[in-house]
Amino acid sequence: MSVLEGILHTYAQFFNWEMWVDVLSNPVSWGLIGTLVIMEGLLSADNALVLAVMVKHLPEKQRKKALFYGLLGAYIFRFIAIGIGVYLIEFWWVKIIGAGYLAWLSIKYFIDKKKGLGEEDEDIEGINQKGLLIRLFGTFWGTVAAVELMDIAFSVDSVLAAFGISQEIWVLLLGGMLGVLMMRGVAGVFLKLIDRIPELETAAYVLILVIAAKMLLGVFGVHVEHIHFFILLLVVFAGTFVVHYRNKKKEQETAN
């Protein structure tokens, strides 16, 4: 099968009604989709804040339009990325590159955290209103283009993480689409949640490292069962809340 035939075959499966029925009636699939949505929400909370800052120079009505067009672009990009990715992820070298990138993303987070980078005192700057996109397309459409590019950059991490969790097409598609909606719709909820329990952000990057290891093991024919992944997921989140309450208790003891 040629590369083009393989990709077209993947897209054809998107419209397979039997696959829809299979996925929607399978509790394991919904568990995987839920995992993707939670990961997306935790990782995208700050991203949503960045996008909000990028459109703050526009009038209020245009801000909503710019973010809406960005939302459409994010959906289209993920549909394309998942469709092509399902075919490409079969190649061992793609898995190694994907696992390496996710591992680097996680390790970089912990290195930056140790150095004290990315803390609350970091200022988030808005879009450069004299930049190339603004000059080429005008203020509104230039901002839309910038939001689209930022959405694509944010999506790369999420799509790779999704492939590390599962390669089922509809699981990936539903998880990805719901994830974009989560970033725009309830990002504020996750921001408040992370503010209350900062350790959740760290937990998300621990899981990314686990997903990278899972993807790398797949190269060598070692497949981690979904049930084992769910158990590990629960252990990580349970450990996160234990660490949070211990830290909170120490803070209270220090204050007293």
Side-chain angles (χ1 to χ4, degrees), residues 226-240:
H226 293 322
I227 185 66
H228 297 149
F229 179 77
F230 287 144
I231 291 170
L232 188 56
L233 184 78
L234 291 172
V235 168
V236 169
F237 279 113
T240 300

Side-chain angles (χ1 to χ4, degrees), residues 49-86:
L49 179 61
V50 171
L51 293 174
V53 172
M54 286 180 69
V55 300
K56 70 177 181 179
H57 62 281
L58 296 173
E60 190 173 347
K61 288 184 179 179
Q62 289 192 345
R63 289 178 196 171
K64 292 179 180 178
K65 283 184 179 180
L67 289 172
F68 175 72
Y69 291 140
L71 180 66
L72 289 179
Y75 277 128
I76 292 168
F77 173 78
R78 291 205 182 195
F79 184 80
I80 294 170
I82 290 169
I84 296 173
V86 167

Side-chain angles (χ1 to χ4, degrees):
M1 185 182 291
S2 68
V3 175
L4 183 58
E5 286 177 342
I7 292 172
L8 289 175
H9 175 69
T10 296
Y11 281 120
Q13 292 181 69
F14 285 157
F15 306 98
N16 186 335
W17 175 248
E18 289 181 4
M19 184 180 294
W20 262 110
V21 174
D22 233 9
V23 169
L24 295 176
S25 61
N26 188 343
V28 174
S29 295
W30 282 107
L32 291 170
I33 291 167
T35 302
L36 289 169
V37 170
I38 292 169
M39 287 288 294
E40 180 78 31
L42 290 172
L43 295 174
S44 297
D46 289 339
N47 297 345
L49 179 61
V50 171
L51 293 174
V53 172
M54 286 180 69
V55 300
K56 70 177 181 179
H57 62 281
L58 296 173
E60 190 173 347
K61 288 184 179 179
Q62 289 192 345
R63 289 178 196 171
K64 292 179 180 178
K65 283 184 179 180
L67 289 172
F68 175 72
Y69 291 140
L71 180 66
L72 289 179
Y75 277 128
I76 292 168
F77 173 78
R78 291 205 182 195
F79 184 80
I80 294 170
I82 290 169
I84 296 173
V86 167
Y87 175 76
L88 292 179
I89 203 70
E90 296 298 325
F91 297 101
W92 64 269
W93 54 270
V94 174
K95 289 182 181 178
I96 289 178
I97 291 172
Y101 175 74
L102 290 175
W104 172 81
L105 199 68
S106 182
I107 292 166
K108 182 178 180 296
Y109 168 81
F110 288 107
I111 291 173
D112 288 348
K113 190 176 178 67
K114 190 175 181 180
K115 289 180 179 177
L117 300 176
E119 298 295 332
E120 291 178 0
D121 59 351
E122 183 181 358
D123 293 325
I124 302 173
E125 296 182 1
I127 191 172
N128 180 6
Q129 296 183 50
K130 294 181 180 179
L132 180 63
L133 291 174
I134 298 292
R135 282 183 285 151
L136 284 175
F137 304 111
T139 303
F140 176 72
W141 289 109
T143 302
V144 170
V147 169
E148 295 282 7
L149 290 173
M150 192 62 69
D151 267 324
I152 289 172
F154 291 154
S155 293
V156 171
D157 304 342
S158 300
V159 170
L160 277 174
F163 277 109
I165 293 173
S166 172
Q167 292 176 35
E168 293 290 333
I169 295 172
W170 275 115
V171 173
L172 291 166
L173 188 65
L174 285 172
M177 299 302 102
L178 288 171
V180 174
L181 195 59
M182 291 283 284
M183 184 175 74
R184 296 299 172 82
V186 293
V189 174
F190 278 94
L191 278 171
K192 288 178 182 176
L193 191 60
I194 290 172
D195 280 341
R196 290 185 64 182
I197 308 174
E199 294 83 1
L200 279 173
E201 188 175 15
T202 301
Y205 282 95
V206 168
L207 288 174
I208 283 183
L209 198 58
V210 170
I211 291 167
K214 183 175 179 287
M215 189 181 285
L216 190 61
L217 286 171
V219 176
F220 301 99
V222 180
H223 300 286
V224 179
E225 295 294 329
H226 293 322
I227 185 66
H228 297 149
F229 179 77
F230 287 144
I231 291 170
L232 188 56
L233 184 78
L234 291 172
V235 168
V236 169
F237 279 113
T240 300
F241 285 102
V242 170
V243 171
H244 170 69
Y245 285 113
R246 279 186 179 178
N247 290 342
K248 197 173 179 181
K249 191 176 180 181
K250 285 180 182 177
E251 286 176 7
Q252 289 174 347
E253 288 174 355
T254 304
N256 296 330

